[in-house]
Amino acid sequence: MRELVYYDEHFFAHTWSNHKRETGLVVFVRSKRKELDDPAVSEVIGVVMLLAMVITMMGGVFVFLTPYVSDFQDNTAWSNADGIAERLDNRIDVVAGEINDTGLRTTISTITSSITPILNSEEWTISADLTPDDIITVIEQNQSSFEVTSVNETAASALIWTQSGHQHIDFLSASTQIIVNHELNLGNTYYVTIYDTNGKEIHRHVKASLSGLMVKTEVNTGQHEIALVNDGRYDRFSDEPWSITYPPDMNIDELFDGTMRVSLSLRTINTVGGLPDGRRASFDFTSAGPISLFTGDAWNFRFGFESTLGPTITPQLSETWLTDYTLHRAAGTLDQHRGISPWQRTSGIDGLTVDGGNSVIDLEVDLQIVEVSE
């Protein structure tokens, strides 16, 4: 069979039927249009392949950069939360020591964080004799009674103060334990002042349960939390224990005459109603007035601390406070140590004191109450 190839498509269209009848030839037509389209198809395929390669490379770059982008987002969120905590702490500092009903208003951007109250997150107990003539101990038995012990039998009456009221109670002096019953609702914060027969203050026992604020921020690894309690700050990521960023503000120094001075402010944050939320939250901070607990000379000073934030905070703070004592004890130079030391038993289970608790100290302690509302 012979093959004829016609390149003129128009000629083939007019003569196709005659050639087929006369010659019986099979005719193949090679289209010029197809030849012209071949380069265009190749270009399209090349572009598609180039796009596929670019997409593949971009996917690889994205996978490579994802951890860094995630860390950048976490760092940004943490930085914002840190700024919120600093601003809250500064505003509370300004108001805390002011007279009653003094306050200020501030607006905080809380786009990536939330602010919530922390109730009763720290508990402090502080006791000291206000005279060198007796050693007195006050122990809370239950919500309606106290146990008072006076070594030299000078205790004759007691004043019990709570945030909801107060009561003065007389009793007979004795060398044994004295049970003092009252009708107050103690709550979590109170103090008991013991008087002698002349009405002179000879001892004070304080219990203060302190609340604060929590700044919570969602991060890629879970949640980051900042606790602001009693002028201290604690940080924690969801997969880590609490760490102490800076401890409560307790200052201990030595005066020019050799007397040790202890200054401590106990600060609690009471929320009134709900706390504001949203992209820009406005807070009102108002002072309920500082309450002076100790001022002047004190003997047999001892204090205890307990945190409910986490099991690691109390031992961390105790270890920090007792660092110098531990070093002097290891070196056999406890007679040269001046500062915080255990009260009675070395383990510190009975509490802590300053300068061994055997000498007079200058003691300044106040309770600062700040109210936060929307």
Side-chain angles (χ1 to χ4, degrees):
M1 180 183 299
R2 289 178 298 172
E3 175 182 341
L4 294 179
V5 180
Y6 292 87
Y7 293 94
D8 191 335
E9 294 178 5
H10 299 287
F11 174 78
F12 172 76
H14 291 290
T15 60
W16 162 251
S17 57
N18 292 332
H19 282 286
K20 184 176 181 182
R21 287 196 302 269
E22 294 176 0
T23 65
L25 298 176
V26 177
V27 181
F28 297 92
V29 179
R30 184 173 296 162
S31 173
K32 291 183 178 179
R33 184 176 301 167
K34 181 177 180 182
E35 289 182 349
L36 293 174
D37 288 345
D38 285 344
V41 172
S42 299
E43 290 179 3
V44 171
I45 294 174
V47 171
V48 171
M49 292 179 66
L50 179 61
L51 288 174
M53 182 174 63
V54 170
I55 292 172
T56 302
M57 293 179 63
M58 290 180 63
V61 171
F62 180 77
V63 171
F64 176 76
L65 291 179
T66 294
Y68 298 97
V69 174
S70 177
D71 288 344
F72 175 77
Q73 292 173 340
D74 284 352
N75 287 335
T76 301
W78 177 87
S79 178
N80 291 335
D82 183 68
I84 292 172
E86 288 293 334
R87 189 167 182 180
L88 287 172
D89 198 37
N90 290 338
R91 297 301 183 271
I92 294 170
D93 276 341
V94 171
V95 172
E98 298 298 324
I99 61 174
N100 190 31
D101 286 336
T102 302
L104 57 82
R105 183 176 180 85
T106 187
T107 301
I108 296 176
S109 176
T110 56
I111 299 175
T112 58
S113 302
S114 62
I115 302 171
T116 57
I118 319 171
L119 301 179
N120 304 322
S121 56
E122 281 186 11
E123 183 177 285
W124 288 74
T125 56
I126 303 175
S127 298
D129 294 322
L130 307 180
T131 174
D133 300 328
D134 204 347
I135 300 175
I136 298 172
T137 303
V138 176
I139 300 174
E140 178 187 346
Q141 282 197 325
N142 50 53
Q143 283 289 307
S144 61
S145 64
F146 288 93
E147 176 187 298
V148 178
T149 303
S150 175
V151 173
N152 294 331
E153 304 180 34
T154 61
S157 64
L159 173 66
I160 305 171
W161 177 93
T162 70
Q163 290 183 287
S164 58
H166 63 274
Q167 183 178 357
H168 191 277
I169 302 167
D170 294 321
F171 51 81
L172 295 176
S173 300
S175 59
T176 58
Q177 298 171 347
I178 303 168
I179 303 301
V180 179
N181 297 308
H182 62 86
E183 300 175 353
L184 296 170
N185 178 18
L186 287 181
N188 297 310
T189 299
Y190 63 81
Y191 66 77
V192 179
T193 305
I194 304 298
Y195 298 86
D196 63 10
T197 53
N198 297 320
K200 178 183 176 182
E201 296 181 357
I202 57 175
H203 179 86
R204 178 162 288 174
H205 171 78
V206 176
K207 178 183 176 182
S209 185
L210 309 179
S211 301
L213 295 177
M214 177 87 75
V215 180
K216 296 182 178 180
T217 305
E218 295 295 332
V219 294
N220 290 296
T221 56
Q223 191 176 68
H224 176 249
E225 296 173 310
I226 301 174
L228 302 176
V229 185
N230 192 24
D231 205 24
R233 171 173 164 170
Y234 311 89
D235 287 69
R236 181 181 72 167
F237 285 95
S238 55
D239 57 345
E240 298 176 359
W242 283 100
S243 62
I244 302 173
T245 306
Y246 46 85
D249 187 18
M250 176 185 286
N251 297 315
I252 301 175
D253 51 9
E254 186 175 352
L255 301 178
F256 68 92
D257 62 353
T259 303
M260 299 298 293
R261 177 174 59 188
V262 179
S263 302
L264 173 64
S265 291
L266 302 177
R267 180 181 301 172
T268 187
I269 309 297
N270 296 338
T271 56
V272 180
L275 291 180
D277 199 358
R279 295 178 63 88
R280 293 186 64 80
S282 296
F283 295 82
D284 283 334
F285 296 95
T286 306
S287 171
I291 300 171
S292 178
L293 300 176
F294 294 93
T295 179
D297 293 345
W299 291 259
N300 303 311
F301 165 68
R302 60 268 194 194
F303 71 94
F305 168 87
E306 185 72 30
S307 173
T308 61
L309 273 180
T312 61
I313 292 181
T314 301
Q316 282 185 72
L317 268 179
S318 296
E319 182 180 356
T320 300
W321 285 329
L322 292 174
T323 297
D324 288 345
Y325 170 83
T326 303
L327 293 175
H328 278 286
R329 185 183 178 204
T333 56
L334 279 180
D335 58 329
Q336 301 177 18
H337 171 66
R338 305 206 69 186
I340 298 178
S341 59
W343 170 258
Q344 296 183 350
R345 285 178 285 187
T346 306
S347 63
I349 194 173
D350 301 307
L352 302 175
T353 186
V354 171
D355 213 17
N358 301 318
S359 57
V360 62
I361 65 170
D362 182 56
L363 184 59
E364 301 290 335
V365 181
D366 63 350
L367 174 63
Q368 300 174 345
I369 304 173
V370 178
E371 295 179 346
V372 182
S373 60
E374 184 173 358

